[in-house]
Amino acid sequence: MDATLSFVQEGLPVRVVFGAGRRRQLGDEVARLGIERALLITTPSKRSMAEAMAAQLGGRAAGVFDRVAMHVPIEIAQAGRAEALRLGADACIALGGGSAIGLAKAIALEQDVAIIALPTTYAGSEMTAIQGLTEDGVKRTRRDPRMLPRTVIYDSELTVTLPPRVAGPSGMNAMAHCVEAFYAEGATPLLSLAAEEGIRALAESLPVLVDQPTSLEASTQALYGAWLAGMALGGAGVALHHKLCHTLGGSFDLPHATTHAVMLPYSAHYNRDAVPDAMARIASALGVSDAPAGLFDLARRIGAPASLEELGLRHADLDRAAELAAAAPYPNPRPVTREDIRALLEDAFHGRRPGAAA
Ligand code: NAD
């Protein structure tokens, strides 16, 4: 045991109900929390499923709101809050990915509503009290215990419908939570164990999901990894990688999950020599000898976009992106400088193998 071991571990009080078909237990979970008027929040494509859930809840459902948008624009948050108020909702049931869950959190931040989340992607947001709201083109992240879901129902029958081009990058988003949980400010031995197991589950299942998108077994394994990733993220927090992705998403409008998939090998490489023990455990969970190279190969294997250029970033934007990402950096094991970040972004722009000479 390392004599310098020192940490604070705080368990987040989320009830987790996991298993294929578990969404059918929603009524019991609603009753368990004493919810009387739940507003279901979802995307237009999931509206009919949300309506069927509302019908099953009968008088305990107040309505369905389907105006969900990525990165939770303030106008959408305000519309959702107004609808919750109008209906006298005492809970939000979010059926969807991080965007639907993010809207439920935005409502819970201002109104006294409980959240039940039924995630349909691997983003991990359902296990955290963190939320990003976009106002005047800037995405601001906040953490508040009022936004933590009370109950999460993980049903892999909901994620098995994800097309491979969404499932793979979404899984790499979860992978990023696991990787950074090892060295983020709130890292603890227990969260590192969760993250390690999450990496193993995701590394095994994501390639299968790309080859056999309807595999319920692989979807269940990936969702298990996503749960662990969300728990690790919610407890340990984030470092350089998430700061880079928040900058690229919030200020350059790059898509969330694919940006994580592109950036993770480079941000891991940036930190590799600063946290050798963590990198050894990450590599071992991936089943490779070098963690950043293994993440790069996995991203290629699942068919994620290969570079920031492919995601639509302009080369002329790299200087500003480096400036923004290096300003007010999140705590990170290797010091963050504008010059080093600019070099990292150059490699990511071209999709070079991390560590390879330019
Ligand atoms: P998303 O919720 O925007 O969904 C992505 C796309 O997939 C959408 O078009 C959606 O309609 C579709 N989709 C979702 N589930 C599907 C399914 N089962 N089958 C078919 N299509 C489906 O994407 P996301 O990556 O889950 O979430 C991204 C958002 O979540 C970002 O705003 C990000 O900041 C936030 N997020 C927050 C946290 C946190 O802890 N606060 C963690 C991760 C992500």
Side-chain angles (χ1 to χ4, degrees), residues 43 45-46 70-71 96-100 105 120-121 123-125 128 130-131 139 158-159 161-163 166 170 173 177 233 256-257:
T43 50
S45 66
K46 297 244 167 339
M70 194 170 297
H71 305 309
S99 298
K105 288 178 173 180
T120 64
T121 69
S125 170
T128 80
I130 308 166
Q131 195 259 5
K139 184 168 172 177
L158 295 175
T159 45
T161 57
L162 280 167
V166 181
S170 181
N173 186 189
H177 305 330
L233 167 71
H256 181 79

PDB file of all heavy atoms in Angstrom, residues 43 45-46 70-71 96-100 105 120-121 123-125 128 130-131 139 158-159 161-163 166 170 173 177 233 256-257, ligand 1:
ATOM      1  N   THR A  43     -37.254  12.719 -26.440  1.00  0.00           N
ATOM      2  CA  THR A  43     -37.079  13.297 -27.781  1.00  0.00           C
ATOM      3  C   THR A  43     -38.289  12.911 -28.635  1.00  0.00           C
ATOM      4  O   THR A  43     -38.991  11.952 -28.308  1.00  0.00           O
ATOM      5  CB  THR A  43     -35.795  12.738 -28.427  1.00  0.00           C
ATOM      6  OG1 THR A  43     -35.831  11.311 -28.293  1.00  0.00           O
ATOM      7  CG2 THR A  43     -34.551  13.253 -27.760  1.00  0.00           C
ATOM      8  N   SER A  45     -38.449  11.234 -31.265  1.00  0.00           N
ATOM      9  CA  SER A  45     -38.406   9.834 -31.730  1.00  0.00           C
ATOM     10  C   SER A  45     -38.840   8.837 -30.645  1.00  0.00           C
ATOM     11  O   SER A  45     -39.213   7.714 -30.945  1.00  0.00           O
ATOM     12  CB  SER A  45     -36.999   9.485 -32.233  1.00  0.00           C
ATOM     13  OG  SER A  45     -36.091   9.521 -31.165  1.00  0.00           O
ATOM     14  N   LYS A  46     -38.797   9.252 -29.397  1.00  0.00           N
ATOM     15  CA  LYS A  46     -39.197   8.347 -28.305  1.00  0.00           C
ATOM     16  C   LYS A  46     -40.556   8.743 -27.716  1.00  0.00           C
ATOM     17  O   LYS A  46     -40.971   8.220 -26.690  1.00  0.00           O
ATOM     18  CB  LYS A  46     -38.149   8.380 -27.178  1.00  0.00           C
ATOM     19  CG  LYS A  46     -36.773   7.895 -27.584  1.00  0.00           C
ATOM     20  CD  LYS A  46     -36.414   6.647 -26.826  1.00  0.00           C
ATOM     21  CE  LYS A  46     -35.214   5.909 -27.349  1.00  0.00           C
ATOM     22  NZ  LYS A  46     -34.792   6.127 -28.706  1.00  0.00           N
ATOM     23  N   MET A  70     -29.518  19.080 -27.823  1.00  0.00           N
ATOM     24  CA  MET A  70     -28.200  18.805 -27.256  1.00  0.00           C
ATOM     25  C   MET A  70     -27.627  20.051 -26.563  1.00  0.00           C
ATOM     26  O   MET A  70     -27.843  21.165 -27.006  1.00  0.00           O
ATOM     27  CB  MET A  70     -27.240  18.312 -28.338  1.00  0.00           C
ATOM     28  CG  MET A  70     -26.005  17.718 -27.709  1.00  0.00           C
ATOM     29  SD  MET A  70     -24.847  16.821 -28.744  1.00  0.00           S
ATOM     30  CE  MET A  70     -25.737  15.458 -29.361  1.00  0.00           C
ATOM     31  N   HIS A  71     -26.884  19.824 -25.493  1.00  0.00           N
ATOM     32  CA  HIS A  71     -26.212  20.873 -24.705  1.00  0.00           C
ATOM     33  C   HIS A  71     -27.204  21.796 -23.969  1.00  0.00           C
ATOM     34  O   HIS A  71     -26.822  22.852 -23.475  1.00  0.00           O
ATOM     35  CB  HIS A  71     -25.260  21.708 -25.567  1.00  0.00           C
ATOM     36  CG  HIS A  71     -24.230  20.871 -26.297  1.00  0.00           C
ATOM     37  ND1 HIS A  71     -23.450  19.935 -25.654  1.00  0.00           N
ATOM     38  CD2 HIS A  71     -23.889  20.804 -27.602  1.00  0.00           C
ATOM     39  CE1 HIS A  71     -22.663  19.354 -26.546  1.00  0.00           C
ATOM     40  NE2 HIS A  71     -22.918  19.850 -27.730  1.00  0.00           N
ATOM     41  N   GLY A  96     -34.206   8.945 -22.431  1.00  0.00           N
ATOM     42  CA  GLY A  96     -33.358   9.412 -23.520  1.00  0.00           C
ATOM     43  C   GLY A  96     -31.897   9.409 -23.120  1.00  0.00           C
ATOM     44  O   GLY A  96     -31.512   8.834 -22.092  1.00  0.00           O
ATOM     45  N   GLY A  97     -31.093  10.100 -23.934  1.00  0.00           N
ATOM     46  CA  GLY A  97     -29.660  10.180 -23.649  1.00  0.00           C
ATOM     47  C   GLY A  97     -29.352  11.353 -22.731  1.00  0.00           C
ATOM     48  O   GLY A  97     -30.241  11.874 -22.041  1.00  0.00           O
ATOM     49  N   GLY A  98     -28.099  11.778 -22.769  1.00  0.00           N
ATOM     50  CA  GLY A  98     -27.657  12.855 -21.889  1.00  0.00           C
ATOM     51  C   GLY A  98     -28.429  14.146 -22.108  1.00  0.00           C
ATOM     52  O   GLY A  98     -28.565  14.949 -21.181  1.00  0.00           O
ATOM     53  N   SER A  99     -28.952  14.350 -23.314  1.00  0.00           N
ATOM     54  CA  SER A  99     -29.671  15.600 -23.580  1.00  0.00           C
ATOM     55  C   SER A  99     -31.015  15.633 -22.853  1.00  0.00           C
ATOM     56  O   SER A  99     -31.378  16.661 -22.272  1.00  0.00           O
ATOM     57  CB  SER A  99     -29.879  15.775 -25.088  1.00  0.00           C
ATOM     58  OG  SER A  99     -28.629  15.850 -25.731  1.00  0.00           O
ATOM     59  N   ALA A 100     -31.771  14.527 -22.891  1.00  0.00           N
ATOM     60  CA  ALA A 100     -33.058  14.471 -22.184  1.00  0.00           C
ATOM     61  C   ALA A 100     -32.833  14.530 -20.672  1.00  0.00           C
ATOM     62  O   ALA A 100     -33.542  15.242 -19.943  1.00  0.00           O
ATOM     63  CB  ALA A 100     -33.804  13.188 -22.555  1.00  0.00           C
ATOM     64  N   LYS A 105     -32.563  17.697 -15.431  1.00  0.00           N
ATOM     65  CA  LYS A 105     -31.724  18.304 -14.388  1.00  0.00           C
ATOM     66  C   LYS A 105     -31.914  19.817 -14.346  1.00  0.00           C
ATOM     67  O   LYS A 105     -31.944  20.421 -13.264  1.00  0.00           O
ATOM     68  CB  LYS A 105     -30.248  17.968 -14.657  1.00  0.00           C
ATOM     69  CG  LYS A 105     -29.887  16.514 -14.391  1.00  0.00           C
ATOM     70  CD  LYS A 105     -28.419  16.284 -14.742  1.00  0.00           C
ATOM     71  CE  LYS A 105     -27.951  14.895 -14.352  1.00  0.00           C
ATOM     72  NZ  LYS A 105     -26.533  14.675 -14.700  1.00  0.00           N
ATOM     73  N   THR A 120     -31.003   5.965 -22.575  1.00  0.00           N
ATOM     74  CA  THR A 120     -31.047   5.200 -23.828  1.00  0.00           C
ATOM     75  C   THR A 120     -29.720   5.289 -24.583  1.00  0.00           C
ATOM     76  O   THR A 120     -29.628   4.877 -25.726  1.00  0.00           O
ATOM     77  CB  THR A 120     -32.190   5.712 -24.731  1.00  0.00           C
ATOM     78  OG1 THR A 120     -31.908   7.065 -25.096  1.00  0.00           O
ATOM     79  CG2 THR A 120     -33.539   5.638 -24.038  1.00  0.00           C
ATOM     80  N   THR A 121     -28.699   5.901 -23.954  1.00  0.00           N
ATOM     81  CA  THR A 121     -27.343   5.910 -24.511  1.00  0.00           C
ATOM     82  C   THR A 121     -26.383   5.514 -23.379  1.00  0.00           C
ATOM     83  O   THR A 121     -26.813   5.239 -22.257  1.00  0.00           O
ATOM     84  CB  THR A 121     -26.934   7.311 -25.040  1.00  0.00           C
ATOM     85  OG1 THR A 121     -26.774   8.189 -23.911  1.00  0.00           O
ATOM     86  CG2 THR A 121     -27.966   7.885 -25.996  1.00  0.00           C
ATOM     87  N   ALA A 123     -24.017   7.575 -22.134  1.00  0.00           N
ATOM     88  CA  ALA A 123     -23.334   8.815 -21.738  1.00  0.00           C
ATOM     89  C   ALA A 123     -23.019   8.920 -20.251  1.00  0.00           C
ATOM     90  O   ALA A 123     -22.086   9.609 -19.863  1.00  0.00           O
ATOM     91  CB  ALA A 123     -24.167  10.025 -22.180  1.00  0.00           C
ATOM     92  N   GLY A 124     -23.809   8.283 -19.393  1.00  0.00           N
ATOM     93  CA  GLY A 124     -23.470   8.259 -17.961  1.00  0.00           C
ATOM     94  C   GLY A 124     -24.020   9.407 -17.142  1.00  0.00           C
ATOM     95  O   GLY A 124     -23.863   9.439 -15.916  1.00  0.00           O
ATOM     96  N   SER A 125     -24.713  10.347 -17.776  1.00  0.00           N
ATOM     97  CA  SER A 125     -25.196  11.539 -17.085  1.00  0.00           C
ATOM     98  C   SER A 125     -26.139  11.210 -15.921  1.00  0.00           C
ATOM     99  O   SER A 125     -26.206  11.943 -14.928  1.00  0.00           O
ATOM    100  CB  SER A 125     -25.917  12.428 -18.104  1.00  0.00           C
ATOM    101  OG  SER A 125     -26.586  13.471 -17.489  1.00  0.00           O
ATOM    102  N   THR A 128     -24.895  11.333 -12.231  1.00  0.00           N
ATOM    103  CA  THR A 128     -24.175  12.499 -11.716  1.00  0.00           C
ATOM    104  C   THR A 128     -25.112  13.645 -11.346  1.00  0.00           C
ATOM    105  O   THR A 128     -26.238  13.717 -11.824  1.00  0.00           O
ATOM    106  CB  THR A 128     -23.159  13.050 -12.757  1.00  0.00           C
ATOM    107  OG1 THR A 128     -23.857  13.854 -13.712  1.00  0.00           O
ATOM    108  CG2 THR A 128     -22.416  11.948 -13.471  1.00  0.00           C
ATOM    109  N   ILE A 130     -24.166  16.604 -12.132  1.00  0.00           N
ATOM    110  CA  ILE A 130     -23.509  17.608 -12.985  1.00  0.00           C
ATOM    111  C   ILE A 130     -24.409  17.891 -14.181  1.00  0.00           C
ATOM    112  O   ILE A 130     -25.069  16.989 -14.699  1.00  0.00           O
ATOM    113  CB  ILE A 130     -22.156  17.066 -13.507  1.00  0.00           C
ATOM    114  CG1 ILE A 130     -21.297  16.538 -12.356  1.00  0.00           C
ATOM    115  CG2 ILE A 130     -21.411  18.118 -14.311  1.00  0.00           C
ATOM    116  CD1 ILE A 130     -20.108  15.701 -12.819  1.00  0.00           C
ATOM    117  N   GLN A 131     -24.403  19.151 -14.617  1.00  0.00           N
ATOM    118  CA  GLN A 131     -25.227  19.489 -15.777  1.00  0.00           C
ATOM    119  C   GLN A 131     -24.632  20.660 -16.524  1.00  0.00           C
ATOM    120  O   GLN A 131     -24.059  21.563 -15.924  1.00  0.00           O
ATOM    121  CB  GLN A 131     -26.650  19.815 -15.331  1.00  0.00           C
ATOM    122  CG  GLN A 131     -27.670  19.819 -16.438  1.00  0.00           C
ATOM    123  CD  GLN A 131     -28.026  21.235 -16.900  1.00  0.00           C
ATOM    124  OE1 GLN A 131     -27.443  22.200 -16.449  1.00  0.00           O
ATOM    125  NE2 GLN A 131     -28.966  21.322 -17.811  1.00  0.00           N
ATOM    126  N   LYS A 139     -21.261  27.037 -23.005  1.00  0.00           N
ATOM    127  CA  LYS A 139     -21.816  25.969 -22.175  1.00  0.00           C
ATOM    128  C   LYS A 139     -21.172  26.028 -20.795  1.00  0.00           C
ATOM    129  O   LYS A 139     -19.953  25.917 -20.664  1.00  0.00           O
ATOM    130  CB  LYS A 139     -21.532  24.617 -22.845  1.00  0.00           C
ATOM    131  CG  LYS A 139     -22.158  23.442 -22.121  1.00  0.00           C
ATOM    132  CD  LYS A 139     -22.084  22.205 -22.979  1.00  0.00           C
ATOM    133  CE  LYS A 139     -22.532  20.980 -22.220  1.00  0.00           C
ATOM    134  NZ  LYS A 139     -22.531  19.796 -23.066  1.00  0.00           N
ATOM    135  N   LEU A 158     -33.519  -0.716 -24.149  1.00  0.00           N
ATOM    136  CA  LEU A 158     -33.597   0.668 -24.628  1.00  0.00           C
ATOM    137  C   LEU A 158     -32.345   1.069 -25.410  1.00  0.00           C
ATOM    138  O   LEU A 158     -32.420   1.913 -26.302  1.00  0.00           O
ATOM    139  CB  LEU A 158     -33.786   1.636 -23.445  1.00  0.00           C
ATOM    140  CG  LEU A 158     -35.088   1.508 -22.660  1.00  0.00           C
ATOM    141  CD1 LEU A 158     -35.084   2.431 -21.448  1.00  0.00           C
ATOM    142  CD2 LEU A 158     -36.285   1.830 -23.566  1.00  0.00           C
ATOM    143  N   THR A 159     -31.192   0.513 -25.062  1.00  0.00           N
ATOM    144  CA  THR A 159     -29.955   0.892 -25.764  1.00  0.00           C
ATOM    145  C   THR A 159     -29.679   0.003 -26.980  1.00  0.00           C
ATOM    146  O   THR A 159     -28.906   0.388 -27.853  1.00  0.00           O
ATOM    147  CB  THR A 159     -28.734   0.833 -24.820  1.00  0.00           C
ATOM    148  OG1 THR A 159     -28.796  -0.377 -24.052  1.00  0.00           O
ATOM    149  CG2 THR A 159     -28.699   2.022 -23.893  1.00  0.00           C
ATOM    150  N   THR A 161     -31.333  -0.485 -29.440  1.00  0.00           N
ATOM    151  CA  THR A 161     -31.815   0.116 -30.691  1.00  0.00           C
ATOM    152  C   THR A 161     -30.849   1.175 -31.232  1.00  0.00           C
ATOM    153  O   THR A 161     -31.088   1.737 -32.304  1.00  0.00           O
ATOM    154  CB  THR A 161     -33.180   0.797 -30.480  1.00  0.00           C
ATOM    155  OG1 THR A 161     -33.035   1.766 -29.429  1.00  0.00           O
ATOM    156  CG2 THR A 161     -34.257  -0.201 -30.092  1.00  0.00           C
ATOM    157  N   LEU A 162     -29.791   1.477 -30.497  1.00  0.00           N
ATOM    158  CA  LEU A 162     -28.846   2.502 -30.959  1.00  0.00           C
ATOM    159  C   LEU A 162     -28.147   2.048 -32.230  1.00  0.00           C
ATOM    160  O   LEU A 162     -27.580   0.945 -32.266  1.00  0.00           O
ATOM    161  CB  LEU A 162     -27.779   2.755 -29.892  1.00  0.00           C
ATOM    162  CG  LEU A 162     -28.146   3.659 -28.719  1.00  0.00           C
ATOM    163  CD1 LEU A 162     -27.095   3.538 -27.618  1.00  0.00           C
ATOM    164  CD2 LEU A 162     -28.260   5.109 -29.184  1.00  0.00           C
ATOM    165  N   PRO A 163     -28.125   2.877 -33.276  1.00  0.00           N
ATOM    166  CA  PRO A 163     -27.342   2.509 -34.458  1.00  0.00           C
ATOM    167  C   PRO A 163     -25.847   2.508 -34.103  1.00  0.00           C
ATOM    168  O   PRO A 163     -25.431   3.306 -33.243  1.00  0.00           O
ATOM    169  CB  PRO A 163     -27.671   3.600 -35.475  1.00  0.00           C
ATOM    170  CG  PRO A 163     -28.371   4.679 -34.739  1.00  0.00           C
ATOM    171  CD  PRO A 163     -28.821   4.160 -33.414  1.00  0.00           C
ATOM    172  N   VAL A 166     -23.906   5.669 -33.449  1.00  0.00           N
ATOM    173  CA  VAL A 166     -24.187   6.395 -32.198  1.00  0.00           C
ATOM    174  C   VAL A 166     -23.669   5.589 -31.001  1.00  0.00           C
ATOM    175  O   VAL A 166     -23.070   6.136 -30.079  1.00  0.00           O
ATOM    176  CB  VAL A 166     -25.705   6.661 -32.030  1.00  0.00           C
ATOM    177  CG1 VAL A 166     -25.969   7.439 -30.742  1.00  0.00           C
ATOM    178  CG2 VAL A 166     -26.259   7.418 -33.229  1.00  0.00           C
ATOM    179  N   SER A 170     -20.827   6.833 -28.216  1.00  0.00           N
ATOM    180  CA  SER A 170     -21.443   6.999 -26.904  1.00  0.00           C
ATOM    181  C   SER A 170     -20.686   6.148 -25.872  1.00  0.00           C
ATOM    182  O   SER A 170     -20.424   6.588 -24.750  1.00  0.00           O
ATOM    183  CB  SER A 170     -22.922   6.585 -26.986  1.00  0.00           C
ATOM    184  OG  SER A 170     -23.540   6.751 -25.746  1.00  0.00           O
ATOM    185  N   ASN A 173     -17.584   7.842 -24.900  1.00  0.00           N
ATOM    186  CA  ASN A 173     -17.868   8.898 -23.929  1.00  0.00           C
ATOM    187  C   ASN A 173     -17.797   8.300 -22.514  1.00  0.00           C
ATOM    188  O   ASN A 173     -17.155   8.855 -21.603  1.00  0.00           O
ATOM    189  CB  ASN A 173     -19.258   9.481 -24.231  1.00  0.00           C
ATOM    190  CG  ASN A 173     -19.635  10.689 -23.401  1.00  0.00           C
ATOM    191  OD1 ASN A 173     -20.764  11.141 -23.429  1.00  0.00           O
ATOM    192  ND2 ASN A 173     -18.704  11.245 -22.657  1.00  0.00           N
ATOM    193  N   HIS A 177     -15.033   8.833 -19.188  1.00  0.00           N
ATOM    194  CA  HIS A 177     -15.307   9.041 -17.752  1.00  0.00           C
ATOM    195  C   HIS A 177     -14.434   8.092 -16.925  1.00  0.00           C
ATOM    196  O   HIS A 177     -13.890   8.465 -15.891  1.00  0.00           O
ATOM    197  CB  HIS A 177     -16.773   8.757 -17.412  1.00  0.00           C
ATOM    198  CG  HIS A 177     -17.772   9.531 -18.220  1.00  0.00           C
ATOM    199  ND1 HIS A 177     -17.514  10.789 -18.734  1.00  0.00           N
ATOM    200  CD2 HIS A 177     -19.050   9.234 -18.598  1.00  0.00           C
ATOM    201  CE1 HIS A 177     -18.585  11.215 -19.392  1.00  0.00           C
ATOM    202  NE2 HIS A 177     -19.522  10.292 -19.325  1.00  0.00           N
ATOM    203  N   LEU A 233     -17.555   8.986 -12.810  1.00  0.00           N
ATOM    204  CA  LEU A 233     -17.597  10.410 -13.162  1.00  0.00           C
ATOM    205  C   LEU A 233     -18.244  11.239 -12.052  1.00  0.00           C
ATOM    206  O   LEU A 233     -17.708  12.279 -11.638  1.00  0.00           O
ATOM    207  CB  LEU A 233     -18.398  10.569 -14.464  1.00  0.00           C
ATOM    208  CG  LEU A 233     -18.849  11.975 -14.865  1.00  0.00           C
ATOM    209  CD1 LEU A 233     -17.670  12.812 -15.322  1.00  0.00           C
ATOM    210  CD2 LEU A 233     -19.896  11.917 -15.978  1.00  0.00           C
ATOM    211  N   HIS A 256     -21.154  15.923 -29.252  1.00  0.00           N
ATOM    212  CA  HIS A 256     -20.619  15.523 -27.947  1.00  0.00           C
ATOM    213  C   HIS A 256     -19.844  14.191 -27.975  1.00  0.00           C
ATOM    214  O   HIS A 256     -18.650  14.144 -27.678  1.00  0.00           O
ATOM    215  CB  HIS A 256     -21.774  15.445 -26.943  1.00  0.00           C
ATOM    216  CG  HIS A 256     -21.357  15.064 -25.575  1.00  0.00           C
ATOM    217  ND1 HIS A 256     -20.782  15.948 -24.698  1.00  0.00           N
ATOM    218  CD2 HIS A 256     -21.394  13.882 -24.926  1.00  0.00           C
ATOM    219  CE1 HIS A 256     -20.487  15.335 -23.584  1.00  0.00           C
ATOM    220  NE2 HIS A 256     -20.863  14.079 -23.691  1.00  0.00           N
ATOM    221  N   ALA A 257     -20.537  13.099 -28.288  1.00  0.00           N
ATOM    222  CA  ALA A 257     -19.926  11.770 -28.119  1.00  0.00           C
ATOM    223  C   ALA A 257     -18.765  11.540 -29.091  1.00  0.00           C
ATOM    224  O   ALA A 257     -17.720  10.988 -28.708  1.00  0.00           O
ATOM    225  CB  ALA A 257     -21.000  10.693 -28.287  1.00  0.00           C
TER     226      ALA A 257
HETATM  227  P1  NAD B   1     -28.139  12.645 -26.924  1.00  0.00           P
HETATM  228  O1  NAD B   1     -28.964  12.466 -25.722  1.00  0.00           O
HETATM  229  O2  NAD B   1     -28.088  14.020 -27.515  1.00  0.00           O
HETATM  230  O3  NAD B   1     -28.596  11.583 -28.033  1.00  0.00           O
HETATM  231  C1  NAD B   1     -27.838  11.477 -29.237  1.00  0.00           C
HETATM  232  C2  NAD B   1     -28.727  11.050 -30.402  1.00  0.00           C
HETATM  233  O4  NAD B   1     -29.079   9.680 -30.249  1.00  0.00           O
HETATM  234  C3  NAD B   1     -30.047  11.818 -30.490  1.00  0.00           C
HETATM  235  O5  NAD B   1     -30.310  12.085 -31.835  1.00  0.00           O
HETATM  236  C4  NAD B   1     -31.046  10.832 -29.904  1.00  0.00           C
HETATM  237  O6  NAD B   1     -32.340  11.054 -30.418  1.00  0.00           O
HETATM  238  C5  NAD B   1     -30.486   9.515 -30.354  1.00  0.00           C
HETATM  239  N1  NAD B   1     -30.804   8.364 -29.485  1.00  0.00           N
HETATM  240  C6  NAD B   1     -30.729   8.344 -28.140  1.00  0.00           C
HETATM  241  N2  NAD B   1     -31.025   7.123 -27.688  1.00  0.00           N
HETATM  242  C7  NAD B   1     -31.313   6.347 -28.772  1.00  0.00           C
HETATM  243  C8  NAD B   1     -31.681   4.981 -28.947  1.00  0.00           C
HETATM  244  N3  NAD B   1     -31.777   4.151 -27.909  1.00  0.00           N
HETATM  245  N4  NAD B   1     -31.898   4.526 -30.210  1.00  0.00           N
HETATM  246  C9  NAD B   1     -31.755   5.347 -31.271  1.00  0.00           C
HETATM  247  N5  NAD B   1     -31.388   6.653 -31.172  1.00  0.00           N
HETATM  248  C10 NAD B   1     -31.172   7.152 -29.933  1.00  0.00           C
HETATM  249  O7  NAD B   1     -26.623  12.204 -26.705  1.00  0.00           O
HETATM  250  P2  NAD B   1     -25.778  11.768 -25.445  1.00  0.00           P
HETATM  251  O8  NAD B   1     -24.407  11.573 -25.960  1.00  0.00           O
HETATM  252  O9  NAD B   1     -26.415  10.687 -24.682  1.00  0.00           O
HETATM  253  O10 NAD B   1     -25.808  13.051 -24.501  1.00  0.00           O
HETATM  254  C11 NAD B   1     -25.069  14.207 -24.811  1.00  0.00           C
HETATM  255  C12 NAD B   1     -25.404  15.293 -23.817  1.00  0.00           C
HETATM  256  O11 NAD B   1     -25.317  14.789 -22.497  1.00  0.00           O
HETATM  257  C13 NAD B   1     -24.419  16.446 -23.896  1.00  0.00           C
HETATM  258  O12 NAD B   1     -25.106  17.680 -23.743  1.00  0.00           O
HETATM  259  C14 NAD B   1     -23.495  16.209 -22.705  1.00  0.00           C
HETATM  260  O13 NAD B   1     -22.913  17.374 -22.200  1.00  0.00           O
HETATM  261  C15 NAD B   1     -24.423  15.560 -21.712  1.00  0.00           C
HETATM  262  N6  NAD B   1     -23.724  14.683 -20.750  1.00  0.00           N
HETATM  263  C16 NAD B   1     -23.762  15.046 -19.446  1.00  0.00           C
HETATM  264  C17 NAD B   1     -23.118  14.269 -18.502  1.00  0.00           C
HETATM  265  C18 NAD B   1     -23.198  14.691 -17.061  1.00  0.00           C
HETATM  266  O14 NAD B   1     -22.730  14.031 -16.168  1.00  0.00           O
HETATM  267  N7  NAD B   1     -23.815  15.781 -16.772  1.00  0.00           N
HETATM  268  C19 NAD B   1     -22.440  13.105 -18.880  1.00  0.00           C
HETATM  269  C20 NAD B   1     -22.424  12.751 -20.231  1.00  0.00           C
HETATM  270  C21 NAD B   1     -23.084  13.555 -21.168  1.00  0.00           C
END
